[in-house]
């Protein structure tokens, strides 16, 4: 079945550590996104990528980094510079980036907790 | 600037009664609008979308929404709530003034009581 796979489902990080969240899609979508979700807030865009080897900062990129070496994969690294990383992280993808009226498809999320 | 306002953070209904989740948007461009549902610790699932065709949009699980340009609203309704409808619902606007950016409302948590 086509879809987006995020792993792990739960992740615990010690302060000062970098951690990487995995996102893989087999929908053949060009665009991929990372969102952060905090209680009582909507989703906020961290990074997005229109095409392989290209990505752009979203609204809250500080303390995060990404890569897009393959069309199917868009991993997110939460660095030690991110002061409040505990959150639910959602990866999404969509068909051609500049196409209008295109909805995004979401993975099941990764819950990151700093211990 | 584009924005989305979900007018209720929590809505509580009894099983079998109608559901109304309210959403207002602000957009300089002709928007595309979506409703997503999220069950606890899960990803978001698309319920329905408006893309400038019919103003009354039917979605999955008996939900529908009506686009009203004069009121800048896109309220989500369902005639009869089911226990399985208990979840968080997000109204989303897509603005293609440059790139396909999704702007999310803060969400409405729907509780359904027996």
């Amino acid at each position: 079945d086509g879809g987006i796979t995020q792993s792990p489902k739960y992740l615990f990080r010690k302060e000062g550590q970098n951690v990487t969240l995995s996102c893989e899609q087999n929908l053949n979508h060009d665009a991929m996104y990372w969102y952060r979700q905090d209680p009582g807030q909507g989703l906020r865009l961290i990074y997005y990528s229109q095409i392989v080897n290209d990505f752009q900062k979203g609204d809250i990129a500080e303390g995060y980094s990404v890569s897009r070496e393959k069309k199917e994969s868009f991993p997110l690294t939460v660095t030690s510079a991110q002061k409040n990383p505990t959150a639910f992280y959602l990866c999404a993808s969509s068909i051609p980036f500049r196409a209008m009226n295109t909805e995004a498809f979401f993975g099941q999320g990764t819950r990151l907790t700093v211990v | 600037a584009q924005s989305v306002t979900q007018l209720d953070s929590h809505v509580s209904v009894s099983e079998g009664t109608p559901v109304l989740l309210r959403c207002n948007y602000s957009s300089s461009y002709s928007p595309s609008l979506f409703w997503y549902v999220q069950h606890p610790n899960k990803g978001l699932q698309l319920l329905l979308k408006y893309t400038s065709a019919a103003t009354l949009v039917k979605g999955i699980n008996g939900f529908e929404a009506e686009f009203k340009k004069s009121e800048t609203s896109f309220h989500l309704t369902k005639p009869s709530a089911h226990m399985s409808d208990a979840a968080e619902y997000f109204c989303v606007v897509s603005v293609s003034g440059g790139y396909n950016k999704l702007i999310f409302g803060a969400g409405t948590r729907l509780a359904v009581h027996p």
Side-chain angles (χ1 to χ4, degrees), chain B:
Chain B
Q2 294 76 36
S3 65
V4 176
T5 302
Q6 292 184 242
L7 299 171
D8 305 290
S9 59
H10 292 83
V11 170
S12 181
V13 301
S14 297
E15 190 175 22
T17 64
V19 175
L20 170 63
L21 305 182
R22 299 182 295 165
C23 173
N24 287 113
Y25 71 92
S26 171
S27 175
S28 302
Y29 304 93
S30 179
S32 295
L33 293 158
F34 310 87
W35 276 99
Y36 283 86
V37 60
Q38 184 182 33
H39 289 91
N41 292 311
K42 299 291 186 183
L44 277 68
Q45 180 185 17
L46 181 69
L47 278 178
L48 50 79
K49 68 177 181 180
Y50 166 76
T51 58
S52 74
T55 56
L56 182 62
V57 182
K58 294 188 182 298
I60 63 172
N61 300 335
F63 284 95
E64 62 182 38
E66 186 172 8
F67 174 71
K68 292 186 176 180
K69 186 175 181 179
S70 61
E71 299 176 10
T72 61
S73 69
F74 189 57
H75 301 335
L76 182 70
T77 61
K78 183 174 181 178
S80 177
H82 191 273
M83 296 296 290
S84 62
D85 294 328
E88 187 144 23
Y89 292 79
F90 291 95
C91 183
V92 182
V93 62
S94 170
V95 180
S96 297
Y99 69 96
N100 189 25
K101 181 175 182 177
L102 298 179
I103 299 172
F104 287 78
T108 297
R109 184 164 296 278
L110 175 65
V112 182
H113 302 287

Side-chain angles (χ1 to χ4, degrees), chain A residues 50-78:
Chain A
Q50 304 178 55
I51 198 168
V52 174
N53 293 323
D54 180 75
F55 49 84
Q56 304 295 329
K57 293 181 179 180
D59 300 318
I60 56 164
E62 185 175 354
Y64 300 98
S65 66
V66 294
S67 62
R68 186 85 187 276
E69 297 177 0
K70 299 186 300 181
K71 186 175 185 178
E72 302 81 14
S73 179
F74 191 42
L76 174 73
T77 297
V78 184

Side-chain angles (χ1 to χ4, degrees), chain A residues 3-38:
Chain A
I4 301 176
T5 301
Q6 290 187 241
S7 62
K9 187 172 176 66
Y10 298 96
L11 185 58
F12 297 90
R13 189 195 93 169
K14 293 182 179 179
E15 290 200 23
Q17 280 185 337
N18 293 355
V19 290
T20 297
L21 283 60
S22 171
C23 178
E24 303 278 333
Q25 55 102 355
N26 60 5
L27 299 167
N28 199 34
H29 286 169
D30 290 313
M32 296 188 74
Y33 314 79
W34 273 105
Y35 290 91
R36 170 179 171 140
Q37 185 177 25
D38 295 284

